[in-house]
Amino acid sequence: MSGPAGAGTPTAGTSMAGPAVADTSTAGTSTAYLGTADLGERTAGMTTTDGPGRPEDLLAHLRPGADLIVPIQLGEPVALLDTLEAHAGELSGVRVHRMDPVAERAYIRGEYGDHLRHVDYFLGPGSRAAYWRGTCELVPNHFSEMPRVLRLTTERPIVLAGASLPDEHGYFSLGTNADYTAAFIGEAPFFLEANAHMPRTFGQNQVHISQVLGWCRADRELPETAPPEPDERDRTIAGLIAERIGDGSCLQVGVGRIPDALLASLTGHRDLGVHTEALSDGIMNLVDRGVITGARKVHHRNQHVATFCVGSRRLLRWLDDNSAVCLLPVDRVNDPRRVAREPRFVSINATSEVDLLGQAASETIAGRYWSSSGGQADFARGAMYSAGGQGFLVLHSATGKGVSRINASLTPGSVVTTLKNTVDNIVTEYGVAALRGKSLGERARALIAIAHPDHRDRLRHDARKAGLLH
């Protein structure tokens, strides 16, 4: 996840096990967290012989002011959220914390007032309009820092998540997800909605029945996301990046038309690796063709690492019992320090607007909030410190209405997602502007050269006026 086109993040590597930590305070915020003993008391000792209950069983565990953590995308526990909305009048001050909701719900629209409210960390199709109307909050963050942010801002949370059915040993899998929710396994209690259609996946997203307050069954097809069809501009951008990627590189790619076009352009490469935020159909296709093997990775060799998955029904079937896919919590996958340890790391994400200094605004469109930072800055920083690493930010040179996406300064109200000192390469259908180590004047000239031809004269004039060119 990163910005309007969905590409991409921090204190990763934190251990989820260990002694109880109570009343940890930062900047005046007091948060009580659980150790394994306290967690056992709250989960009431469920065992492998305990069968499923009802979604309504969740209500008995909700105190006034309860904080509920819900996964992104396909990890949404639909029946549990339906139950919360159906009984919203009985709740008091309950907050649901999540990123990137796919579908808009009544509680996100603020229809239940202070009984049940939504707190967002990355606007999605289900929350964007609600945020614009002022019925939900948006908390800025890097995706990699989400577990830490939630620890600082919630008190004794409960995680509500979709999952696969339990295996014979009593383990559920969080299926298409690890994201920030998996960071709370063994630390906060879970209430799971086990769906027969959720693939069983591997990594650090396994929850034992002894760690759950309760669970219910569902038999619901997961929504699929059809791969978008790239246009000629997308294919041109993809080709410019593909020729700069060497065999054995480790990739992080976003989800969308340009990332899909790029992955389709890599069929002639060998032994590529994947360490990415979102695993999609394009990655699956390259694994099946033997292009992505992970054989030259330093960490998690021969495995395809991600923190969540989104795509077609074929992808969901491919994920099921696929031990080559390793889903890890986002504070491990997106941690720039971990990313940097992988040599030849290549990060490709989308942005919506770039100024002549090289600042990239990737979470606003025309000065209006559209998404959030996601993991873009995480991977840009990680690639910057990787031996032989490269970072690419991609965008069309102009909007569909002919407005330039490269300008002397960002649109008023736009937010810088990736700093000019971090940005490596900017790519449009007109070429690649390599910015690392370049002066301000050199940056301006390189960016003007890949802007739409209709705007280059104006950009040169604006650059001289701004003192970037003389």
Side-chain angles (χ1 to χ4, degrees):
M1 277 185 319
S2 84
T9 99
T11 22
T14 356
S15 171
M16 295 302 107
V21 180
D23 194 24
T24 301
S25 300
T26 300
T29 302
S30 176
T31 304
Y33 260 82
L34 301 174
T36 52
D38 195 2
L39 176 63
E41 294 175 10
R42 294 182 72 191
T43 53
M46 293 194 74
T47 69
T48 53
T49 60
D50 290 319
R54 305 173 306 143
E56 291 78 11
D57 296 341
L58 168 65
L59 301 172
H61 301 284
L62 301 184
R63 58 180 177 78
D67 287 305
L68 307 177
I69 297 173
V70 173
I72 65 174
Q73 294 277 342
L74 301 180
E76 175 181 320
V78 174
L80 294 180
L81 293 182
D82 287 346
T83 298
L84 290 176
E85 291 189 321
H87 294 269
E90 305 164 28
L91 306 177
S92 175
V94 174
R95 297 187 303 165
V96 178
H97 303 261
R98 65 185 298 201
M99 298 178 81
D100 199 13
V102 175
E104 188 175 81
R105 283 179 163 271
Y107 88 92
I108 298 177
R109 292 193 296 268
E111 295 183 12
Y112 306 116
D114 288 333
H115 292 285
L116 182 64
R117 285 205 173 275
H118 175 69
V119 183
D120 210 303
Y121 298 81
F122 187 99
L123 299 179
S127 58
R128 191 170 295 122
Y131 173 73
W132 293 342
R133 291 191 301 264
T135 61
C136 71
E137 300 289 342
L138 175 63
V139 179
N141 65 93
H142 293 302
F143 196 10
S144 65
E145 295 177 346
M146 271 296 291
R148 177 174 173 80
V149 170
L150 290 169
R151 291 185 187 105
L152 292 173
T153 58
T154 64
E155 185 175 350
R156 298 173 65 84
I158 299 172
V159 178
L160 312 183
S164 68
L165 294 172
D167 65 14
E168 60 182 319
H169 306 292
Y171 283 95
F172 301 84
S173 159
L174 297 181
T176 55
N177 290 57
D179 58 60
Y180 42 88
T181 50
F184 288 89
I185 295 173
E187 183 175 321
F190 280 61
F191 200 109
L192 297 176
E193 181 178 311
N195 188 348
H197 297 276
M198 178 66 84
R200 175 173 297 281
T201 57
F202 301 95
Q204 295 179 12
N205 65 342
Q206 315 292 309
V207 184
H208 191 258
I209 195 167
S210 64
Q211 297 169 315
V212 304
L213 293 170
W215 67 285
C216 60
R217 287 190 65 135
D219 189 5
R220 174 183 55 82
E221 288 275 8
L222 298 177
E224 64 176 338
T225 302
E229 186 60 37
D231 64 19
E232 195 54 42
R233 293 174 299 175
D234 302 326
R235 296 187 186 94
T236 299
I237 292 170
L240 290 167
I241 298 173
E243 66 188 21
R244 289 166 167 79
I245 296 175
D247 290 344
S249 296
C250 186
L251 307 180
Q252 176 267 320
V253 291
V255 177
R257 296 191 321 184
I258 297 176
D260 277 11
L262 170 66
L263 292 167
S265 300
L266 295 175
T267 53
H269 284 62
R270 299 185 60 183
D271 285 336
L272 297 177
V274 164
H275 182 105
T276 193
E277 186 173 292
L279 193 151
S280 64
D281 285 69
I283 291 173
M284 170 187 69
N285 294 336
L286 289 182
V287 172
D288 286 348
R289 294 178 70 115
V291 174
I292 291 176
T293 64
R296 301 194 203 177
K297 290 172 66 178
V298 173
H299 304 283
H300 297 282
R301 286 190 67 223
N302 306 314
Q303 288 190 308
H304 319 307
V305 173
T307 198
F308 71 96
C309 309
V310 62
S312 67
R313 294 261 157 73
R314 178 171 168 252
L315 174 70
L316 298 177
R317 292 191 296 271
W318 182 82
L319 289 169
D320 190 45
D321 271 331
N322 189 338
S323 59
V325 175
C326 180
L327 295 182
L328 302 176
V330 71
D331 58 358
R332 294 179 63 83
V333 173
N334 285 39
D335 183 353
R337 296 163 296 188
R338 291 179 179 273
V339 171
R341 296 175 198 158
E342 197 66 58
R344 302 178 303 281
F345 194 92
V346 182
S347 170
I348 307 104
N349 287 304
T351 188
S352 57
E353 189 179 0
V354 176
D355 69 14
L356 292 182
L357 298 174
Q359 299 181 115
S362 309
E363 55 202 270
T364 48
I365 293 180
R368 193 181 201 189
Y369 244 103
W370 186 263
S371 53
S372 193
S373 303
Q376 183 174 116
D378 287 335
F379 286 108
R381 286 183 292 156
M384 179 172 66
Y385 292 116
S386 163
Q390 302 178 80
F392 296 92
L393 292 181
V394 302
L395 75 167
H396 293 161
S397 63
T399 69
K401 295 182 179 180
V403 178
S404 180
R405 292 185 182 274
I406 297 176
N407 292 291
S409 58
L410 299 175
T411 304
S414 292
V415 173
V416 175
T417 304
T418 305
L419 302 174
K420 70 182 190 309
N421 297 351
T422 303
V423 170
D424 191 1
N425 300 282
I426 303 290
V427 190
T428 74
E429 68 272 27
Y430 292 103
V432 179
L435 303 185
R436 182 66 48 74
K438 298 296 177 63
S439 70
L440 295 182
E442 290 170 330
R443 286 168 171 250
R445 281 187 283 271
L447 288 165
I448 292 169
I450 65 167
H452 194 283
D454 291 349
H455 297 282
R456 291 177 189 171
D457 286 343
R458 174 185 60 82
L459 288 171
R460 291 187 190 95
H461 173 270
D462 292 346
R464 287 192 290 270
K465 187 176 179 180
L468 298 175
L469 295 179
H470 301 282

